Amino acid sequence: MPTFNPLLDLPALRSRLAGHEGLLVVCYCAEWCDTCRQYQPGFEALAGQFPGHTFIWVDIEENPELLGDDDVENFPTLLVQSAGANLFYGPMLPYPGHLEKLLTRLGEDSPAIVGGPPLLRPLLEDM
């Protein structure tokens, strides 16, 4: 399964989300960030391991609207979102294995957290 970038793949991302009920797994990054560039191949590999989820790579300087009123202070910052709630939002050490462990524990029925970006599905439809 590919990793989607809203700047480059918005039609494909919208198509994927139209018929998809799985989790959104979002990495908020910046083009200039060396840590993000080093983390990206592992993030993309996880997309292949978890084909039931949609993996999205968001450059916060190019798509700040996908953060809402939140800020990113540390990279990578990850968001895991169900169709109706945020399940995880925060910085994570740049080791794909940490995200892999988180994803094996989370599911659509996991409890919601308070805070984090707004639901992305409607935002992506309006872009």
Side-chain angles (χ1 to χ4, degrees), residues 12 14 18 31 36 47 50 52-53 55 70 78 80-81 87 89-90 95 105 108-109:
R14 284 181 180 153
E31 179 62 35
C36 294
F50 293 90
H53 302 325
F55 284 70
D70 286 298
L78 297 169
V80 180
Q81 196 174 73
L87 306 179
Y89 176 66
Y95 302 110
R105 291 192 320 251
E108 289 287 328
D109 58 346

Side-chain angles (χ1 to χ4, degrees), residues 7-30:
L7 282 176
L8 306 174
D9 310 319
L10 189 57
L13 177 55
R14 284 181 180 153
S15 176
R16 164 80 173 171
L17 294 177
H20 184 257
E21 305 256 339
L23 299 177
L24 299 184
V25 182
V26 183
C27 184
Y28 291 104
C29 61

Side-chain angles (χ1 to χ4, degrees), residues 8-68:
L8 306 174
D9 310 319
L10 189 57
L13 177 55
R14 284 181 180 153
S15 176
R16 164 80 173 171
L17 294 177
H20 184 257
E21 305 256 339
L23 299 177
L24 299 184
V25 182
V26 183
C27 184
Y28 291 104
C29 61
E31 179 62 35
W32 52 262
C33 176
D34 288 336
T35 301
C36 294
R37 280 197 297 273
Q38 292 170 7
Y39 183 66
Q40 190 170 9
F43 184 80
E44 292 173 351
L46 286 176
Q49 286 182 258
F50 293 90
H53 302 325
T54 299
F55 284 70
I56 305 171
W57 189 264
V58 175
D59 185 319
I60 62 168
E61 293 178 344
E62 297 294 334
N63 290 117
E65 68 278 9
L66 297 179
L67 268 172

Side-chain angles (χ1 to χ4, degrees), residues 94-108:
Y95 302 110
H98 291 192
L99 177 57
E100 180 180 15
K101 287 178 187 176
L102 177 67
L103 293 175
T104 59
R105 291 192 320 251
L106 289 176
E108 289 287 328

